[in-house]
Amino acid sequence: MGFSLKLSSLCTIITIITVSTALFSDLQLVKSASPDYTNLIYKGCAKQQFSDPSGLYSQSLSAMFGSLVSQSTKSRFYKTTTGTTSQTTITGLFQCRGDLSNNDCYNCVSRLPVLSGKLCGKTIAARVQLTGCYLLYEISGFAQISGMEMLFKTCGRNNIAGTGFEERRDTAFGVMQNGVVSGHGFYATTYQSVYVLGQCEGDVGDSDCSGCIKNALEKAQVECGSSNSGQIYLHKCFIAYNYYPNGVPRPSSSSRTSGSSDSYSSSSTANFKI
């Protein structure tokens, strides 16, 4: 399956806001005591709200959310379409990180419908990314983007150039890229104190997944340079890495990908189309 998707005439800009932004007092929904796989990474909301005088859109959206949450108890990826007319047809999906249990996946996904409503309202398309899962929905005919489009990045503030880190990181990247293919879309490993993780959207084939991960890794090298950690989110895949000079700690894998041992500086607020 290729990443080139047909564009419709409907083109809406979505604004990404990081979890560190103080603009959202309603992010108290994401409690500090919650598991770190439920921390908000970014959100994207279409600027256009859906006109819904009959309530059909709300019914379709509610049915879609219910289906996604229900499926999260037994699957880490699920995609569905709801709606009775072309105007109210909505396609939605969720994906959990490959190392989450069914229970953790459900706990993560079950937060997304409420967060989507709080953060985006009744927009015609939305994407909410938590550390351990994300949700994406859009109405029929919504403009599509390339799977290689970068949606969000974070880079660690500690620059460790000249320590041999880049060589270890790049070797770990190569191991991870191969592992994602053999793992059919998810792989995490440690190489000489560098923890790396990569995942592709669940309906992406192995060849396209490899290409997406390769693109994300190249962006990490350019965008984050010698930063000791980073996360790169493309439309169809993401990667995360963290260097632990004293050895990778043994807490849950979710804490490793959230960068809990490092303070991140996020990219500036950006725009993208989905």
Side-chain angles (χ1 to χ4, degrees), residues 1 76-78 93-96 134 184-185 199-205 236:
M1 180 188 72
R76 295 187 185 90
F77 174 80
Y78 184 71
L93 65 86
F94 79 83
Q95 181 159 23
C96 289
Y134 72 90
H184 304 295
Q199 184 168 25
C200 292
E201 189 173 291
D203 56 357
V204 174
K236 290 289 186 178

Side-chain angles (χ1 to χ4, degrees), residues 14 26 39 44 52 63 83 98 137 144 189 223 228 231 248 261 263:
I14 296 180
D26 52 17
N39 290 339
D52 191 29
Y137 75 83
Q144 303 294 302
T189 192
E223 298 287 342
N228 65 329
Q231 300 177 53
V248 176
S261 70
S263 57

Side-chain angles (χ1 to χ4, degrees), residues 82-155:
T82 60
T84 57
T85 68
S86 59
Q87 289 78 21
T88 59
T89 297
I90 305 171
T91 297
L93 65 86
F94 79 83
Q95 181 159 23
C96 289
R97 219 177 51 220
D99 56 350
L100 261 61
S101 67
N102 288 343
N103 186 60
D104 286 345
C105 182
Y106 169 78
N107 287 336
C108 191
V109 173
S110 62
R111 298 168 186 263
L112 291 170
V114 175
L115 275 176
S116 175
K118 288 289 186 179
L119 295 172
C120 296
K122 292 183 178 180
T123 57
I124 61 176
R127 182 173 185 135
V128 179
Q129 174 79 54
L130 306 185
T131 305
C133 65
Y134 72 90
L135 174 147
L136 167 67
Y137 75 83
E138 58 193 37
I139 65 167
S140 176
F142 193 76
Q144 303 294 302
I145 63 170
S146 164
M148 301 294 186
E149 185 84 8
M150 187 167 75
L151 305 183
F152 183 76
K153 72 170 183 179
T154 60
C155 300

Side-chain angles (χ1 to χ4, degrees), residues 203-219:
D203 56 357
V204 174
D206 289 345
S207 178
D208 286 336
C209 180
S210 177
C212 190
I213 292 293
K214 181 176 184 292
N215 191 290
L217 295 174
E218 290 172 351
K219 289 185 183 298

Side-chain angles (χ1 to χ4, degrees), residues 8-181:
S8 73
S9 59
L10 180 59
C11 183
T12 306
I13 301 300
I14 296 180
T15 303
I16 305 172
I17 306 297
T18 70
V19 66
S20 59
T21 304
L23 295 176
F24 302 108
S25 59
D26 52 17
L27 290 188
Q28 293 174 352
L29 286 164
V30 187
K31 305 293 187 182
S32 60
S34 299
D36 59 6
Y37 60 78
T38 64
N39 290 339
L40 180 66
I41 302 297
Y42 68 85
K43 63 99 175 180
C45 309
K47 290 183 178 179
Q48 183 177 345
Q49 299 286 315
F50 198 94
S51 177
D52 191 29
S54 66
L56 290 177
Y57 170 76
S58 296
Q59 293 175 21
S60 294
L61 192 61
S62 178
M64 183 206 66
F65 284 155
S67 179
L68 295 181
V69 171
S70 174
Q71 290 295 321
S72 69
T73 62
K74 51 191 174 184
S75 176
R76 295 187 185 90
F77 174 80
Y78 184 71
K79 187 174 185 178
T80 188
T81 299
T82 60
T84 57
T85 68
S86 59
Q87 289 78 21
T88 59
T89 297
I90 305 171
T91 297
L93 65 86
F94 79 83
Q95 181 159 23
C96 289
R97 219 177 51 220
D99 56 350
L100 261 61
S101 67
N102 288 343
N103 186 60
D104 286 345
C105 182
Y106 169 78
N107 287 336
C108 191
V109 173
S110 62
R111 298 168 186 263
L112 291 170
V114 175
L115 275 176
S116 175
K118 288 289 186 179
L119 295 172
C120 296
K122 292 183 178 180
T123 57
I124 61 176
R127 182 173 185 135
V128 179
Q129 174 79 54
L130 306 185
T131 305
C133 65
Y134 72 90
L135 174 147
L136 167 67
Y137 75 83
E138 58 193 37
I139 65 167
S140 176
F142 193 76
Q144 303 294 302
I145 63 170
S146 164
M148 301 294 186
E149 185 84 8
M150 187 167 75
L151 305 183
F152 183 76
K153 72 170 183 179
T154 60
C155 300
R157 292 176 178 168
N158 295 330
N159 187 306
I160 51 176
T163 62
F165 159 72
E166 292 93 338
E167 291 78 6
R168 290 191 291 273
R169 178 204 62 194
D170 291 348
T171 300
F173 280 178
V175 172
M176 188 260 283
Q177 183 183 349
N178 292 330
V180 167
V181 175

